[in-house]
Amino acid sequence: LAKRSAESYLTQLCRHGFFHCDPHPGNIACDRACGGRLIYYDFGMMDELTPAVKKGLVDLMFGVYEGDVKEVCDALEGIGVLRSGVDRVSIEKIARVFLQEFSKGIESDTWASQLSPEEQTRLRRKRRLQLGADLFTLGSDAPFQLPPTFTFVFRAFTSLDGIGKGLDSKYDLVRLARPYLQELIDLRDGSAAVSLLKSWTKRMGLRPVDMQNVVAQPQKVADISALLQRIEQGDLKIRVRVLESERAFKRMELQSNVMAAGLACTLSINAAILLSLWRASTAFVTETASGEGLRHRVLSMLSSWMLRGMVAGGVYFGGLLLPLKLWKQRQFERQLAHLEAD
């Protein structure tokens, strides 16, 4: 049953692309026929893995295997994890560092989780020194997102892994998934052998596009020369990002938000106090026959509404918005201190 539940879900996900989003034990049962056929309940949460997303996952796997940073980022953008139109310079730099560490781990068969705590701390400090500014850029730009489809997939695999290990102590989801991952790999070029051959020709520089680049190299040199001439003549302007200025502007923005929330809270409280004093010092006429008494009753009603609004505004700005802005400012300062730490 453990093996059948995993194969059933992998068939839904990898072959059909239409899968059950909530396969917990309450939504799965079995009968006595054929060694226990699976029965799924509650089809209120279903989702689809489109062919484009499948291809993107395959391209991501090949990009990691080949160490191609551009292909990895293109695949992440294709499956919706990386937002389109973001500045990819910092993203590609960080991805390049992690891909290099991944390649070193494969070659040496030593991973970061296997290092001692001191070595792991030393490795984290090295990453901060190397990628501190780029990590700050990622934190401010927020280029990544997690599509709901992947949230459902991760949740389903977690449930299935718990079911399988509860039924069989030797349950191994990775081993069961290998044939289905092979089918996904075949989606790229129709065969895993063809894909590996293309990867080899890419590394050796024997692809048709590489031959075309060799032929077109003189024209590219001429284009570069013309570009340099435009730079010398002042016809081309280069725009750069100054991270220190971005940090200063971000800090000023957060401080101005805190000041604005505090000022709004103070104004609301002061207005409520003044309005309360005015109501207490004013003699209201209770007779409804005279026009003067009616006027004072209307003013009393309006002032009561205004007082409630001022009190509600003070509670909102002082009790909710101001603490939130202060928390965001503190988180920003902690992030900077973490990046600047040795």
Side-chain angles (χ1 to χ4, degrees):
L1 285 177
K3 178 181 178 182
R4 187 167 295 180
S5 63
E7 291 178 345
S8 171
Y9 194 77
L10 288 168
T11 300
Q12 297 176 42
L13 187 66
C14 299
R15 293 181 181 173
H16 303 293
F18 189 68
F19 58 94
H20 197 292
C21 296
D22 197 18
H24 60 78
N27 286 339
I28 302 178
C30 64
D31 59 13
R32 297 180 180 273
C34 303
R37 296 179 302 181
L38 295 177
I39 304 171
Y40 282 87
Y41 299 109
D42 189 5
F43 296 96
M45 291 180 62
M46 306 291 294
D47 206 346
E48 181 181 9
L49 198 66
T50 62
V53 174
K54 289 183 182 179
K55 183 180 181 303
L57 291 173
V58 175
D59 292 340
L60 177 61
M61 288 187 286
F62 272 92
V64 172
Y65 170 74
E66 297 172 355
D68 192 334
V69 176
K70 186 178 182 300
E71 186 172 0
V72 169
C73 292
D74 290 340
L76 290 175
E77 186 174 334
I79 63 179
V81 175
L82 180 63
R83 300 180 188 275
S84 59
V86 299
D87 183 9
R88 287 175 40 167
V89 175
S90 299
I91 299 173
E92 291 182 358
K93 181 179 178 181
I94 294 173
R96 187 176 295 108
V97 171
F98 282 100
L99 285 178
Q100 290 173 355
E101 292 185 2
F102 178 74
S103 300
K104 291 179 182 178
I106 293 179
E107 294 174 358
S108 61
D109 198 21
T110 302
W111 304 96
S113 59
Q114 300 173 345
L115 301 176
S116 63
E118 294 79 10
E119 292 176 338
Q120 292 182 12
T121 302
R122 193 180 306 112
L123 181 61
R124 284 195 296 267
R125 289 179 177 177
K126 180 182 177 182
R127 287 175 181 170
R128 287 196 210 110
L129 291 175
Q130 186 177 4
L131 303 172
D134 299 284
L135 289 173
F136 171 80
T137 303
L138 289 188
S140 59
D141 292 346
F144 295 106
Q145 60 185 359
L146 185 63
T149 300
F150 294 108
T151 305
F152 294 139
V153 171
F154 295 151
R155 175 184 177 183
F157 274 122
T158 303
S159 300
L160 287 173
D161 194 57
I163 295 173
K165 290 180 178 178
L167 295 173
D168 183 6
S169 59
K170 298 181 180 180
Y171 176 82
D172 187 358
L173 182 60
V174 177
R175 179 177 57 83
L176 295 174
R178 285 178 182 174
Y180 299 92
L181 294 177
Q182 181 68 39
E183 294 180 10
L184 282 179
I185 293 175
D186 291 341
L187 288 176
R188 193 183 198 191
D189 300 300
S191 171
V194 176
S195 299
L196 291 175
L197 178 62
K198 288 186 176 181
S199 299
W200 181 80
T201 56
K202 180 180 179 179
R203 290 189 176 187
M204 299 299 296
L206 299 177
R207 298 175 302 172
V209 64
D210 298 323
M211 303 299 180
Q212 183 179 358
N213 289 333
V214 172
V215 175
Q217 195 66 28
Q219 182 61 41
K220 292 182 179 180
V221 173
D223 294 339
I224 294 174
S225 177
L227 181 62
L228 292 176
Q229 290 180 1
R230 291 185 60 189
I231 294 176
E232 293 175 354
Q233 296 172 2
D235 296 335
L236 186 65
K237 295 182 179 180
I238 300 177
R239 186 182 66 177
V240 297
R241 297 183 63 178
V242 184
L243 294 179
E244 292 297 331
S245 299
E246 290 187 11
R247 296 179 185 180
F249 290 144
K250 183 66 175 179
R251 183 181 285 110
M252 291 174 59
E253 179 186 355
L254 292 173
Q255 291 175 350
S256 63
N257 290 338
V258 171
M259 293 176 61
L263 181 60
C265 175
T266 304
L267 290 176
S268 299
I269 293 175
N270 289 338
I273 292 173
L274 292 175
L275 193 58
S276 299
L277 293 175
W278 178 81
R279 283 169 54 86
S281 61
T282 303
F284 294 98
V285 180
T286 58
E287 292 82 357
T288 59
S290 63
E292 190 68 19
L294 181 61
R295 184 175 69 86
H296 280 289
R297 291 186 63 184
V298 173
L299 289 176
S300 175
M301 186 180 299
L302 291 176
S303 62
S304 177
W305 290 344
M306 291 175 62
L307 180 60
R308 293 176 183 175
M310 293 300 176
V311 172
V315 171
Y316 170 73
F317 288 113
L320 180 62
L321 192 60
L322 182 58
L324 179 61
K325 298 299 182 182
L326 287 172
W327 178 81
K328 287 185 177 180
Q329 184 180 12
R330 188 170 300 175
Q331 290 295 110
F332 176 76
E333 297 296 340
R334 287 180 179 177
Q335 182 184 12
L336 287 184
H338 183 69
L339 293 175
E340 293 172 357
D342 50 353

